[in-house]
Amino acid sequence: MPELPDVEGFRRVLATCATGRVIHRVVVRDAGVLHGVGPRGLRDALEGRRFTEPERHGKWLLARTGDGPTVLLHFGMTGRLVCGDPDDAVEPHDRVLFILSDGRQLRYRDQRKLQGLWLAHDDREVARRLERQGPDALAVSREEFETALASRRGHVKTALTDQSVLAGLGNLLADEILWRARLRPDSRASDLAQADHRRLYTHMRRTLRDAVAAGCVPPRGSWLTGHRDDPDPTCPRCGSRLRRSRMAGRGTVWCPRCQPNG
């Protein structure tokens, strides 16, 4: 599933491919990814307008058109944003194509179609769409982070992946951050000490910076992510056998030796 680093990568694709370019044509190949707007409404709202600098909040990407409408994109589990040339073959999962002024094509590609595109005509509509989102995980201050976690009664992993608490973290990032911070995923968020909060915040920031630079949550050998899918996974830090469990319906991987609290 695309998480904050992936969506930040899609923001860069949008910025380099489309910023400053006029939208000549919008081709909707599958209206099933549109929410609250039909193909004709999307075309009428966007054709002839120019993409401006995009923004991201958590896992949401905001494709702005200056003083015009904003396209909000969410990538679900399999979505991507691709910059193509006119001669590139259209792939089966290319759902919406934005044909730009120099012939480039910005393509929303998604196999499972679990999310998609929304159209907001002004900033109030953008705000309404994002009103249930917590602060962005890459921009949140330490004080905001500590306040958000201290108010949660459930497990710390559940709090980290709750988009209304903190926007942008998914399953892989949460497990990676907790492993680095040496905190068990089933620790109660409200029971964490201030030192735990600070350590968790520090490792979240470091992990996000590294992952954003890679454009994904990288499966590196020194990362928990690089071993979680091994047949018999072991901790890259201490060599202990990793444990698997399910938490709020999500597969969770952790090290009982490195993450002993809980």
Side-chain angles (χ1 to χ4, degrees), residues 19-223:
T19 296
R21 293 182 170 87
V22 174
I23 307 165
H24 275 188
R25 193 157 55 97
V26 179
V27 179
V28 178
R29 301 183 69 245
D30 189 337
V33 298
L34 302 184
H35 301 273
V37 65
R40 181 174 179 177
L42 189 69
R43 290 194 298 267
D44 290 346
L46 296 178
E47 288 180 353
R49 293 191 178 274
R50 191 184 301 270
F51 278 123
T52 56
E53 190 68 26
E55 300 172 22
R56 180 196 53 76
H57 185 90
K59 300 179 185 182
W60 286 88
L61 181 60
L62 282 62
R64 296 192 176 274
T65 61
D67 59 356
T70 297
V71 181
L72 292 94
L73 302 98
H74 196 289
F75 300 90
M77 294 189 69
T78 58
R80 297 179 60 196
L81 200 62
V82 179
C83 186
D85 292 321
D87 295 333
D88 293 345
V90 177
E91 298 198 6
H93 303 309
D94 287 344
R95 309 298 182 180
V96 180
L97 281 62
F98 301 92
I99 313 300
L100 306 174
S101 51
D102 62 353
R104 287 188 184 181
Q105 298 179 4
L106 186 69
R107 301 179 179 188
Y108 179 82
R109 181 176 296 168
D110 193 358
Q111 179 180 356
R112 296 184 62 183
K113 302 191 299 181
L114 296 179
Q115 294 286 345
L117 286 71
W118 287 254
L119 186 69
H121 292 90
D122 54 38
D123 285 343
R124 287 178 297 178
E125 288 190 28
V126 173
R128 281 199 296 270
R129 176 56 51 189
L130 300 179
E131 65 183 354
R132 295 185 181 179
Q133 298 287 299
D136 182 82
L138 196 58
V140 66
S141 69
R142 193 181 71 189
E143 292 74 17
E144 288 177 307
F145 178 78
E146 292 178 3
T147 298
L149 283 190
S151 65
R152 306 297 294 185
R153 296 182 179 180
H155 296 145
V156 63
K157 179 177 178 179
T158 304
L160 289 177
T161 56
D162 185 339
Q163 301 304 295
S164 69
V165 176
L166 199 64
L169 301 185
N171 202 42
L172 295 181
L173 279 172
D175 281 357
E176 184 71 35
I177 293 163
L178 288 166
W179 174 74
R180 292 185 181 202
R182 297 179 180 266
L183 294 171
R184 270 179 56 151
D186 59 354
S187 303
R188 292 282 174 183
S190 58
D191 291 343
L192 296 180
Q194 188 175 37
D196 296 327
H197 285 158
R198 291 180 176 177
R199 190 166 69 255
L200 191 58
Y201 179 77
T202 296
H203 285 289
M204 179 184 73
R205 298 280 293 180
R206 290 175 180 172
T207 304
L208 282 174
R209 283 197 296 267
D210 288 346
V212 165
C216 63
V217 186
R220 293 173 181 162
S222 59
W223 288 42

